[in-house]
Amino acid sequence: MGREHWKRIWVGSAGNMVEWYDWFVYASFATYFAGAFFPDDNPTAQLMNTAGIFAVGFFMRPVGGWLLGRVGDRKGRKAALTLTVTLMSASAILIAIAPTYAVAGYGGAVVLLVARLLQGLSVGGEYAASATYLTEASDPRRRGFASSFQYVSMTAGQIVGLGLQIALQRTMSDGALHDYGWRIPFVLGALGAAVVFYLRRNMLETDVYEAEESEGEGQERGTLRALWRHKREAFLVIALTMGGTVAYYTYTTYLTKYLSNSAGLPKQTATLVSFTALIVFACLQPLAGRLSDRIGRRPLLITFAVGSTVLTVPVMTMLKHADSYWPALGLSLLALVVVTGYTSINACVKAELFPTRIRALGVALPYAVANALFGGTAEYVALWFKDAGPESGFFWYVAACAAVSLVVYVTMRETRDLDLTRMKDVESSPVTTAS
């Protein structure tokens, strides 16, 4: 790819990294601030409350997907990406200054809730705007490779958050972390978002969007009416996202808590396992994305779904009995290698389903709905099973979601060779039956 393509990918990815750092740092530091906002008589209940607020952020994502997807289709990808990072910065500041339960009772939890609602709005639009931007800004022959940097940057955000957590764990006492240290990552997140705001204000629009905009006919661009013409593709996005998002949040967001609370590993060891596994995971994304440009998207998606359906129960069961760093790391890497078949290419697959004038909204809204229903609730469902007793029920739930998505992957057509500039709003994209 040329220098201009790399510049666009860099700017889009850097902003995405900060967005997802702010989003995931809530989950990675939840074990430290859960007691600050809720009564301390039941640690599991505290985590369930903070996980519930985490899930609420996901339920705002469809609203953010609709609002910012509409902005992306009507005002441009640049405008949507700039707005998302503004919302994320505001939410990070709110969490950083939120009063504790001892100071304001449940008032602090209310501030936390408002912040997560803003984050939900932001991320609801960020995923689609960045997926659309990276897909449109890339060389058509390397869309899989270019769009894989979405999950590279997403994972990089989480790695930075976990790396900061490791550094704080080694330089601060456990009491200090629970008292005030957990606020530090949110302050840094707000500062990072300010830098990204500047970068995105000066980023270039994609050629694909500018070509579409020059043709006019923008009255229904980014509207629900226009999206309804592609309802089949919208439902396809929900179904193909279902298994992938549950598996992704299980082995990234929830993994540290699972290793700590269920396997009994020390928090520092659990964090280090997640940190190391995510570094390898991030490195795998471009390799898998490039492979999809050669062999197609469906083979990778099918491999993920088969692997996740078959391996989730045994891997999670063995992880529960992992008593040290290396067994936990090996099993975590096995799971994340399987998940790579989904994460590396799902952004471009979804963007390839829709024409330009409805692409951002077409990706944003159904994807956000799927995440609200499955991704955002994964951690809460896991903790519910743990609290109720049969924790293994969650393993079967993850496997079942992957099995549903497998049916979709097997029956959908290949999207690799579709020409994004020739897809028209009046057409129904022919990608829902196997060829």
Side-chain angles (χ1 to χ4, degrees), residues 284-404:
L284 290 175
Q285 304 309 300
L287 299 177
R290 189 70 186 103
L291 179 62
S292 79
D293 289 326
R294 293 179 178 274
I295 68 173
R297 321 296 190 213
R298 289 179 66 245
L300 271 70
L301 291 172
I302 292 172
T303 299
F304 150 70
V306 171
S308 191
T309 301
V310 174
L311 295 177
T312 293
V313 174
V315 166
M316 292 294 287
T317 301
M318 288 187 286
L319 273 173
K320 187 173 183 178
H321 297 93
D323 57 0
S324 62
Y325 172 81
W326 288 108
L329 178 62
L331 290 166
S332 300
L333 286 176
L334 173 61
L336 288 173
V337 167
V338 172
V339 175
T340 295
Y342 166 81
T343 55
S344 60
I345 57 171
N346 81 93
C348 66
V349 169
K350 293 162 189 171
E352 288 166 345
L353 294 175
F354 299 95
T356 303
R357 68 184 61 227
I358 196 63
R359 185 167 294 127
L361 181 61
V363 174
L365 187 55
Y367 172 79
V369 168
N371 267 272
L373 294 175
F374 304 105
T377 59
E379 182 177 329
Y380 192 84
V381 171
L383 290 170
W384 181 87
F385 273 109
K386 178 177 176 57
D387 194 53
E391 188 172 17
S392 62
F394 175 68
F395 313 160
W396 290 101
Y397 168 76
V398 177
C401 290
V404 172

Side-chain angles (χ1 to χ4, degrees), residues 127 135 143-144 147 236-237 240 292 297-298 301 342 345-354 363 409 412-416 418 431:
Y127 174 88
T135 302
R143 289 200 300 255
S147 66
L236 181 62
V237 169
L240 68 86
S292 79
R297 321 296 190 213
R298 289 179 66 245
L301 291 172
Y342 166 81
I345 57 171
N346 81 93
C348 66
V349 169
K350 293 162 189 171
E352 288 166 345
L353 294 175
F354 299 95
V363 174
Y409 303 151
M412 69 182 288
R413 285 183 60 182
E414 184 57 63
T415 63
R416 178 188 59 178
L418 291 177
V431 292

Side-chain angles (χ1 to χ4, degrees), residues 77-291:
R77 318 314 188 200
K78 173 182 173 180
L81 287 168
T82 303
L83 182 54
T84 61
V85 78
T86 302
L87 293 171
M88 187 60 76
S89 179
S91 67
I93 292 172
L94 282 176
I95 296 176
I97 65 173
T100 63
Y101 180 82
V103 172
Y106 285 106
V110 172
V111 174
L112 194 66
L113 176 62
V114 171
R116 284 301 291 179
L117 294 176
L118 288 177
Q119 285 190 336
L121 284 173
S122 175
V123 175
E126 171 67 26
Y127 174 88
S130 61
T132 302
Y133 186 85
L134 289 173
T135 302
E136 291 181 349
S138 64
D139 183 325
R141 297 167 298 177
R142 295 190 174 184
R143 289 200 300 255
F145 174 76
S147 66
S148 71
F149 282 89
Q150 182 179 49
Y151 268 81
V152 172
S153 56
M154 284 174 62
T155 307
Q158 191 170 3
I159 289 171
V160 171
L162 286 172
L164 178 60
Q165 186 174 18
I166 292 172
L168 292 176
Q169 286 172 341
R170 300 195 174 201
T171 57
M172 300 179 68
S173 67
D174 192 64
L177 274 172
H178 281 85
D179 187 27
Y180 66 89
W182 60 266
R183 297 183 187 272
I184 295 174
F186 296 104
V187 173
L188 295 177
L191 295 175
V195 174
V196 170
F197 177 82
Y198 172 78
L199 291 174
R200 288 186 166 179
R201 288 280 293 175
N202 295 281
M203 72 192 301
L204 300 173
E205 189 56 81
T206 69
D207 296 335
V208 174
Y209 180 82
E210 289 183 335
E212 175 72 21
E213 189 177 34
S214 66
E215 294 181 6
E217 302 178 13
Q219 291 299 315
E220 291 193 353
R221 182 182 295 156
T223 64
L224 293 175
R225 179 182 297 178
L227 179 60
W228 185 250
R229 296 196 186 108
H230 297 271
K231 55 184 177 294
R232 182 180 295 179
E233 287 73 23
F235 284 113
L236 181 62
V237 169
I238 293 175
L240 68 86
T241 300
M242 177 181 177
T245 190
V246 170
Y248 177 75
Y249 280 100
T250 296
Y251 294 117
T252 57
T253 303
Y254 180 61
L255 181 65
T256 304
K257 297 184 186 67
Y258 180 69
L259 292 175
S260 177
N261 294 336
S262 296
L265 292 179
K267 286 181 181 178
Q268 292 86 344
T269 302
T271 302
L272 186 59
V273 168
S274 294
F275 180 76
T276 309
L278 286 173
I279 290 176
V280 177
F281 179 66
C283 294
L284 290 175
Q285 304 309 300
L287 299 177
R290 189 70 186 103
L291 179 62

